[in-house]
Amino acid sequence: MPLSFSCATRLGGVLTVCLLATQPALAQLTEMPAQRLGLVPLPREVKAYTATYALPQKISIYATGKDGSNVAGLLKEMLTGLGKTVTLTSTRAGANIALLTAATPNPEAYQLTVDQQGIRITAAGGPGLFYGAQTLLQLLPARSAATAPVPYVRINDQPAFRWRGGMLDVSRHFFSVEFVKKYIDLLAAYKLNTFHWHLTDDQGWRIEIKKYPKLTQVSAFRKETLIGAQQLFKTPAEFKYDATPYGGFYTQDQIRDVVAYAQRRYVTIVPEIEMPGHSVAILAAYPELACKPGTYETWTMWGVNEDIVCPTEPTFRFFEDVLSEVTALFPGPYVHIGGDEAPKTRWKESAAVQEIMKKEGYTDVEKVQGWFNRRIEKFLASKGKKLIGWDEILEGGIAPSATVMSWRGEKGGIEAAKMGHDVVMSPTTHMYVNYGQSPKPHSPYEPLMIGGYIPLDVIYNYNPLPAELTPEQQKHVLGPQANLWTEYITTPAAAEYMLFPRLLAVSEVAWRPAAGKSYAEFLPRMGQQFARLDAKKVYYRVPEPLGLDSASVVRQNGKAVFTLRSLVPGAQIRYTLDGHLPDETTGLYTKPVAVPLNKGLTVRAVTITPGGRKSPPAELLVN
Ligand code: ACM
């Protein structure tokens, strides 16, 4: 057996202790496909081996410094949750897990080694150590287990993009601090590092601002909410409302608590304070900020509202006051100012806006929004913050150092990058995770939703770097972001259903270079995450069985033969041929099934997970 040495050097190299080890070095071990580890996102370089390190019941974690101690503390919480007894130590010798620092150019890069000496994570500092720890957790059992054999690995990893985002709209429906923390945990577990918190909109203002108490007394509440999917009604006259007051907000103490929680997990929060559009909730409390005097109410339906704030001095004072409090609460570099969907109906009718146009020499009212944004940008800069906005901010003349979040496709992002602005790619075509997951619009098996159909493969195959940008321009693409708008998402479970498993595909879009992605190879790795999501009590959408589509069905001897498989390990597939919805009592799929052609039979099949959860049905009319 080959020998290997492990040496510990005391400061200055005065004393060097080398231990002669008789265990095999990694180079002499049997390799296995990295794929089998089931990691999401797949690290940049992985070597995996069949040998395992037996992580004992009592574990010690070695770490030094503030970041090392932070990550060690988080690992301790996670491992304690897996039934281990964990101590933190500042003595390297004998530690089962060592968190080590070494200079690397990318602060998010890390190395993870598991071998006979135990587990070592090496990184420049906190973020890298944290991501190494997340990868390690995915090598451990999903739940408390008597033994935890950790496969020997040598992993070298770093992200493709700096901005790896997930947005949550808490205005249309309010989400508790507890759920916001869970969302942040889930982002971080899949190495997403940016939480875009959409805090204000027509349907509710959700952040306490000390100087404007009516924002949380009035704007945070609406008197009722539209029932049903708005786009299915022909005219507003058909709308029905639930006659139930709705609202909520975060106190500044709660915001500070969430910020600290995110910081511990190396997640940057980007707060969004919408302006000048999506602002009727502000007018409900402060109607003097409207162009037209009147009474306004926090909106009870969805869409784009023509009642927006007027771009006059009192409005600037309002937003500057609000942003002073917001910038003091959020330590991250960016503040999102919205900027989307701001109709100029009221501005066109306003003498005050005409006055601004005359003074600035504008003939196009859209230019007033650009002027407004540039003033806000200057104010944010005075607070040391950068402005980011939806791609409409390009239209009225963009603020010089603004970052653009491209949502109406990639066009805005491409244009902005060509102009030298940084961009975040979150196009509705690929990154809107509130859009549907069933090919059938308004499927009876899916929740109410808005928008089109964005299945997993469409997300997975998204490349945030548009081909028409030069390599130099591509450097302005900070990364991708998934958006979750919540018009029809009223509970944490409903949010999780839309987010998972699609967020796993987003994770890989953000972490992997496009050339290193393969959807076919992603699916089985994703499958291995379901047990982890179960352990975290995440209400993911159980994927329907694969193979029930006309391209996969084989027609022979007057029959259609279908071969099904599930993406969920250990799941059952149940099916019916009589039009009923399959359940635990209907046919158990064990081998390919032949169905006579031309009898008008519909095959329906569902996945039933080991935990008993069911997928929506896959279905095919056989003819
Ligand atoms: C948006 O979806 N209105 C940015």
Side-chain angles (χ1 to χ4, degrees), residues 346-587:
R346 303 290 176 249
W347 288 17
K348 281 183 196 155
E349 297 161 353
S350 154
V353 177
Q354 298 307 315
E355 201 56 39
I356 294 165
M357 290 175 68
K358 205 153 82 201
K359 196 156 141 248
E360 299 296 325
Y362 299 147
T363 49
D364 176 5
V365 70
E366 293 300 330
K367 290 267 191 308
V368 178
Q369 190 175 345
W371 167 85
F372 178 91
N373 291 343
R374 287 191 296 278
R375 220 172 123 174
I376 294 291
E377 186 194 31
K378 273 210 196 89
F379 181 77
L380 286 174
S382 78
K383 300 283 177 187
K385 301 292 181 184
K386 293 196 251 196
L387 177 152
I388 180 166
W390 300 110
D391 57 56
E392 284 93 333
I393 65 169
L394 282 164
E395 283 164 16
I398 189 170
S401 60
T403 299
V404 171
M405 190 168 267
S406 196
W407 74 280
R408 296 174 301 176
E410 295 186 295
K411 204 171 124 279
I414 291 168
E415 186 186 333
K418 284 184 176 169
M419 290 163 67
H421 291 274
D422 284 348
V423 305
V424 173
M425 288 299 197
S426 63
T428 51
T429 47
H430 294 80
M431 289 285 129
Y432 269 44
V433 288
N434 50 298
Y435 280 19
Q437 304 186 77
S438 161
K440 254 194 192 165
H442 305 292
S443 157
Y445 310 113
E446 296 288 341
L448 275 190
M449 58 107 201
I450 203 166
Y453 170 47
I454 307 193
L456 260 181
D457 62 321
V458 168
I459 294 179
Y460 188 85
N461 289 318
Y462 180 56
N463 180 356
L465 296 177
E468 61 245 72
L469 294 180
T470 64
E472 209 45 44
Q473 291 163 344
Q474 285 184 347
K475 287 189 188 144
H476 286 294
V477 178
L478 301 180
Q481 178 174 294
N483 294 335
L484 189 72
W485 297 101
T486 60
E487 286 90 339
Y488 302 115
I489 297 172
T490 61
T491 62
E496 290 167 13
Y497 184 90
M498 298 311 260
L499 286 166
F500 289 95
R502 291 188 292 188
L503 204 68
L504 304 186
V506 173
S507 151
E508 209 137 301
V509 168
W511 191 267
R512 298 279 302 165
K517 288 193 300 170
S518 152
Y519 184 61
E521 185 254 59
F522 165 71
L523 288 178
R525 283 188 287 109
M526 180 191 84
Q528 291 193 51
Q529 296 299 315
F530 288 118
R532 298 185 186 281
L533 295 173
D534 281 329
K536 293 176 183 179
K537 298 192 166 40
V538 173
Y539 188 80
Y540 55 86
R541 178 183 188 274
V542 177
E544 55 273 83
L546 297 182
L548 203 51
D549 53 89
S550 42
S552 311
V553 169
V554 177
R555 288 176 167 73
Q556 57 188 32
N557 307 328
K559 296 198 163 152
V561 180
F562 57 90
T563 304
L564 302 180
R565 71 189 171 96
S566 171
L567 293 170
V568 184
Q572 290 186 345
I573 296 175
R574 296 274 178 173
Y575 69 96
T576 62
L577 304 176
D578 63 2
H580 281 95
L581 200 57
D583 63 22
E584 294 78 359
T585 66
T586 61

Side-chain angles (χ1 to χ4, degrees), residues 5-137:
F5 293 88
S6 103
C7 302
T9 307
R10 222 173 66 175
L11 265 186
V14 177
L15 176 71
T16 300
V17 185
C18 288
L19 302 171
L20 201 56
T22 50
Q23 293 94 334
L26 284 177
Q28 275 74 43
L29 294 165
T30 310
E31 275 197 50
M32 68 170 184
Q35 177 70 4
R36 244 186 257 167
L37 301 173
L39 297 172
V40 175
L42 183 67
R44 191 70 67 97
E45 294 169 23
V46 193
K47 279 199 185 307
Y49 304 88
T50 52
T52 56
Y53 170 71
L55 193 62
Q57 176 54 32
K58 286 199 169 116
I59 301 172
S60 61
I61 304 176
Y62 165 80
T64 58
K66 192 164 143 280
D67 277 319
S69 303
N70 177 48
V71 175
L74 289 168
L75 254 180
K76 177 177 173 171
E77 284 172 27
M78 300 291 199
L79 293 170
T80 305
L82 290 176
K84 303 286 181 191
T85 306
V86 184
T87 52
L88 305 185
T89 170
S90 52
T91 309
R92 170 85 194 269
N96 307 97
I97 301 175
L99 306 183
L100 308 169
T101 46
T104 57
N106 185 334
E108 295 188 306
Y110 68 91
Q111 285 185 353
L112 167 64
T113 307
V114 181
D115 61 17
Q116 71 276 13
Q117 292 166 41
I119 296 164
R120 295 181 296 291
I121 301 171
T122 309
L129 291 176
F130 180 77
Y131 293 130
Q134 294 306 320
T135 302
L136 170 62
L137 289 168

Side-chain angles (χ1 to χ4, degrees), residues 110-437:
Y110 68 91
Q111 285 185 353
L112 167 64
T113 307
V114 181
D115 61 17
Q116 71 276 13
Q117 292 166 41
I119 296 164
R120 295 181 296 291
I121 301 171
T122 309
L129 291 176
F130 180 77
Y131 293 130
Q134 294 306 320
T135 302
L136 170 62
L137 289 168
Q138 289 192 19
L139 297 177
L140 300 178
R143 290 177 192 274
S144 192
T147 60
V150 191
Y152 282 16
V153 293
R154 193 184 285 280
I155 292 174
N156 252 311
D157 200 9
Q158 66 177 72
F161 293 100
R162 278 179 283 166
W163 184 300
R164 305 183 299 280
M167 183 278 264
L168 179 67
D169 165 13
V170 296
S171 170
R172 275 54 178 270
H173 283 97
F174 180 68
F175 290 85
S176 66
V177 165
E178 185 191 3
F179 179 71
V180 169
K181 288 180 174 176
K182 187 177 181 186
Y183 187 88
I184 289 169
D185 269 331
L186 290 165
L187 291 175
Y190 292 103
K191 301 189 175 74
L192 298 168
N193 66 354
T194 304
F195 172 51
H196 172 174
W197 205 355
H198 183 80
L199 285 162
T200 73
D201 214 305
D202 296 310
Q203 294 80 4
W205 180 281
R206 306 278 175 238
I207 174 172
E208 178 189 24
I209 300 295
K210 304 273 189 198
K211 195 155 184 183
Y212 295 91
K214 283 194 282 182
L215 287 172
T216 39
Q217 290 157 2
V218 176
S219 312
F221 297 90
R222 58 180 181 254
K223 68 171 193 259
E224 58 189 357
T225 303
L226 179 83
I227 299 170
Q230 184 166 318
Q231 67 271 27
L232 300 182
F233 299 106
K234 283 195 196 68
T235 73
E238 295 175 13
F239 292 1
K240 288 194 172 57
Y241 295 87
D242 65 2
T244 307
Y246 185 91
F249 63 89
Y250 308 103
T251 65
Q252 293 201 353
D253 279 344
Q254 287 176 316
I255 299 267
R256 276 187 282 270
D257 176 42
V258 171
V259 165
Y261 191 88
Q263 273 184 313
R264 255 198 104 188
R265 288 149 183 84
Y266 304 96
V267 169
T268 300
I269 301 184
V270 179
E272 181 179 351
I273 305 295
E274 271 265 22
M275 63 190 85
H278 289 287
S279 56
V280 77
I282 300 170
L283 301 182
Y286 299 99
E288 61 272 25
L289 302 181
C291 289
K292 212 167 85 176
T295 52
Y296 298 89
E297 56 178 34
T298 307
W299 223 13
T300 55
M301 53 179 268
W302 319 118
V304 176
N305 196 316
E306 292 186 335
D307 288 320
I308 72 172
V309 293
C310 211
T312 46
E313 288 310 312
T315 296
F316 280 112
R317 244 189 334 271
F318 170 82
F319 280 117
E320 289 178 4
D321 289 341
V322 166
L323 292 174
S324 294
E325 295 191 32
V326 167
T327 53
L329 286 168
F330 293 93
Y334 290 95
V335 174
H336 202 302
I337 62 146
D340 60 320
E341 300 176 322
K344 303 301 177 316
T345 325
R346 303 290 176 249
W347 288 17
K348 281 183 196 155
E349 297 161 353
S350 154
V353 177
Q354 298 307 315
E355 201 56 39
I356 294 165
M357 290 175 68
K358 205 153 82 201
K359 196 156 141 248
E360 299 296 325
Y362 299 147
T363 49
D364 176 5
V365 70
E366 293 300 330
K367 290 267 191 308
V368 178
Q369 190 175 345
W371 167 85
F372 178 91
N373 291 343
R374 287 191 296 278
R375 220 172 123 174
I376 294 291
E377 186 194 31
K378 273 210 196 89
F379 181 77
L380 286 174
S382 78
K383 300 283 177 187
K385 301 292 181 184
K386 293 196 251 196
L387 177 152
I388 180 166
W390 300 110
D391 57 56
E392 284 93 333
I393 65 169
L394 282 164
E395 283 164 16
I398 189 170
S401 60
T403 299
V404 171
M405 190 168 267
S406 196
W407 74 280
R408 296 174 301 176
E410 295 186 295
K411 204 171 124 279
I414 291 168
E415 186 186 333
K418 284 184 176 169
M419 290 163 67
H421 291 274
D422 284 348
V423 305
V424 173
M425 288 299 197
S426 63
T428 51
T429 47
H430 294 80
M431 289 285 129
Y432 269 44
V433 288
N434 50 298
Y435 280 19
Q437 304 186 77

